Amino acid sequence: MSTTPSTTPSPSPEPGGTDGGSPRPAHQARLIQNEVTTEIPVHLLFRDEPNPSPVPLRPAVVGRRQGTGEQPRFRPASARTRPVPEADPELCERPARVLPGAVGVFAGAAGAAGAVAASWWAGTLPPFAGEALGLPASTAAGLGPAQWAAYAGAAALGLFGLGGLARGRTGRAWVLGLFGRYRGTVRRTGLMWVNPLLRRRQVDVRLRHWRSEPMPAADGSGVALRVVVLVVWRVRDTARALLGVEDHETYLRECVEAALARVPVEMPGGAHGPAPVGVAAETLTRLVTADAAPVGLEVFSVQPVRIEYAPEVAAAMHRRRIAALDAQQRATVLTSVVDSVEDTVTRLTMRGLVELDDYERKALVKDLTVAFCAGRNESGS
């Protein structure tokens, strides 16, 4: 409740408080504004300047007064939830530099040829291998530093060429890194050559679906449920999915579980009809999409495929249903017995077979009711 701003009455000039025969002008000051008061410095109450300079006043919150019944006022906290932050603003998928696979094959062949040439130069090539390759007999004697250097260069070239060969497949991508730094993503298919010093991690970028295990949820009334959802998703940004989070699949599962905790799910065919199930699916899809987007995951749909009550709730509802069926059966049996007794008594009296007073009628009705109930219990109907 807000109060009307009020002002203090202008003070009247005190006798003897004139300066040059003229009274000092009165200055009005706001003391109360809405629900806060202002802290007035003490020295302002005793200033003699006719036009004092304005002094900023600090607001002070009025607390609850003892004995007045006034309750403290609280400002409601904002109900908005903070969005999920980006994994890394600078981490974004970019293509890596790779070469055709023919380059690696050529480098490996060159390394093998260099090793053969170094063996012929050092004189360690077997004679039959030299004859098969059409090489003349070598006149060199033994291995020297030059021959060992040639061997090392040929081996390095062959290993560097053949070790960088990689095969790209459709629906798979390679995330490359060097000493912990992201160097790019390869989405090409076929044979290619990648720097063998780079670390290669394969990511599945196909459209995938995940059927969850029963997860806890609740309906609009707070009844505990178990929901199985089908999530259709794929990896959109391989760098963020693989490097921005420890395990993107586990992260997606936890996002789905968190969304189920916030969205009420109704049983299909219940009192609200099938419409709330579709509304819950749309809400779940929107929430999971917003939570998974910062880590490079693209979610297309989150659909509840099976909804059932929690085990403890299902047992209580089973007992309640059995009790309702039992009560309904008892009511049906009692109605049938009453109708049978009424029909019997009516026929006896209408046909004049017996003449009954009130006491005899009550006794007959009691006996017939007991007999009919016993007969139905024995027959199991």
Side-chain angles (χ1 to χ4, degrees), residues 356-373:
L356 304 173
D357 55 9
D358 292 340
Y359 178 77
E360 293 175 344
R361 184 186 297 274
K362 292 179 181 180
L364 179 60
V365 169
K366 180 179 178 181
D367 295 340
L368 290 175
T369 303
V370 173
F372 285 154
C373 289

Side-chain angles (χ1 to χ4, degrees), residues 95-156:
R97 297 179 180 180
V98 294
L99 298 176
V103 175
V105 174
F106 178 77
V116 172
S119 300
W120 175 83
W121 183 21
T124 58
L125 187 68
F128 65 90
E131 294 177 0
L133 296 175
L135 298 176
S138 177
T139 58
L143 294 172
Q147 287 79 9
W148 282 115
Y151 270 123

Side-chain angles (χ1 to χ4, degrees), residues 14-92:
E14 299 179 358
T18 60
D19 187 8
S22 61
R24 285 178 294 178
H27 300 281
Q28 296 182 355
R30 267 185 170 177
L31 295 183
I32 300 178
Q33 182 177 3
N34 293 337
E35 297 180 358
V36 299
T37 61
T38 55
E39 296 178 356
I40 306 176
V42 178
H43 67 277
L44 290 181
L45 301 177
F46 305 97
R47 296 187 64 172
D48 295 333
E49 289 83 2
N51 296 316
S53 58
V55 177
L57 304 179
R58 296 175 298 175
V61 180
V62 179
R64 181 170 64 91
R65 296 191 296 269
Q66 297 292 336
T68 60
E70 181 183 357
Q71 298 296 327
R73 301 175 177 89
F74 300 96
R75 185 183 300 272
S78 176
R80 296 179 55 188
T81 58
R82 299 181 60 184
V84 179
E86 295 286 344
D88 188 351
E90 298 181 358
L91 185 62
C92 184

Side-chain angles (χ1 to χ4, degrees), residues 259-314:
L260 282 174
R262 290 181 285 174
V263 178
V265 181
E266 300 294 339
M267 291 289 293
H272 300 280
V277 178
V279 174
E282 294 178 1
T283 307
L284 288 173
T285 303
R286 185 175 68 254
L287 292 177
V288 177
T289 301
D291 292 341
V295 295
L297 303 182
E298 186 176 5
V299 179
F300 297 94
S301 67
V302 181
Q303 296 289 337
V305 295
R306 191 178 67 187
I307 306 174
E308 58 186 13
Y309 290 105
E312 61 276 8
V313 178

Side-chain angles (χ1 to χ4, degrees), residues 11-352:
S12 58
E14 299 179 358
T18 60
D19 187 8
S22 61
R24 285 178 294 178
H27 300 281
Q28 296 182 355
R30 267 185 170 177
L31 295 183
I32 300 178
Q33 182 177 3
N34 293 337
E35 297 180 358
V36 299
T37 61
T38 55
E39 296 178 356
I40 306 176
V42 178
H43 67 277
L44 290 181
L45 301 177
F46 305 97
R47 296 187 64 172
D48 295 333
E49 289 83 2
N51 296 316
S53 58
V55 177
L57 304 179
R58 296 175 298 175
V61 180
V62 179
R64 181 170 64 91
R65 296 191 296 269
Q66 297 292 336
T68 60
E70 181 183 357
Q71 298 296 327
R73 301 175 177 89
F74 300 96
R75 185 183 300 272
S78 176
R80 296 179 55 188
T81 58
R82 299 181 60 184
V84 179
E86 295 286 344
D88 188 351
E90 298 181 358
L91 185 62
C92 184
E93 179 180 334
R94 60 179 182 269
R97 297 179 180 180
V98 294
L99 298 176
V103 175
V105 174
F106 178 77
V116 172
S119 300
W120 175 83
W121 183 21
T124 58
L125 187 68
F128 65 90
E131 294 177 0
L133 296 175
L135 298 176
S138 177
T139 58
L143 294 172
Q147 287 79 9
W148 282 115
Y151 270 123
L157 182 61
L159 292 177
F160 200 75
L162 298 179
L165 292 177
R167 184 184 63 174
R169 294 187 297 172
T170 303
R172 300 289 195 276
W174 293 96
V175 177
L176 307 181
L178 180 62
F179 304 122
R181 183 179 180 183
Y182 173 65
R183 304 298 296 177
T185 300
V186 181
R187 290 180 178 260
R188 295 177 53 178
T189 58
L191 189 64
M192 55 189 171
W193 185 85
V194 183
N195 187 350
L197 299 179
L198 298 177
R199 182 186 178 186
R200 290 174 278 185
R201 302 172 65 181
Q202 195 173 31
V203 185
D204 191 349
V205 295
R206 295 174 298 179
L207 188 67
R208 304 169 65 183
H209 68 278
W210 169 61
R211 184 185 179 96
S212 71
E213 65 279 358
M215 292 184 174
D219 60 3
S221 303
V223 179
L225 302 175
R226 291 293 184 270
V227 181
V228 177
V229 297
L230 180 66
V231 184
V232 181
W233 64 285
R234 71 176 178 183
V235 175
R236 178 176 52 85
D237 192 314
T238 57
R240 292 184 177 180
L242 202 61
L243 305 177
V245 68
E246 183 176 0
D247 187 353
H248 59 274
E249 295 184 1
T250 304
Y251 178 81
L252 180 62
R253 295 190 187 98
E254 294 178 354
C255 288
V256 173
E257 187 173 356
L260 282 174
R262 290 181 285 174
V263 178
V265 181
E266 300 294 339
M267 291 289 293
H272 300 280
V277 178
V279 174
E282 294 178 1
T283 307
L284 288 173
T285 303
R286 185 175 68 254
L287 292 177
V288 177
T289 301
D291 292 341
V295 295
L297 303 182
E298 186 176 5
V299 179
F300 297 94
S301 67
V302 181
Q303 296 289 337
V305 295
R306 191 178 67 187
I307 306 174
E308 58 186 13
Y309 290 105
E312 61 276 8
V313 178
M317 294 192 66
H318 182 65
R319 292 193 298 268
R320 180 180 178 183
R321 186 173 302 175
I322 291 178
L325 292 175
D326 186 43
Q328 183 180 2
Q329 183 180 5
R330 289 177 181 273
T332 303
V333 171
L334 182 59
T335 302
S336 177
V337 169
V338 171
D339 292 341
S340 300
V341 171
E342 181 182 4
D343 184 62
T344 303
V345 174
T346 302
R347 287 186 180 185
L348 291 175
T349 55
M350 291 296 294
R351 294 182 181 181

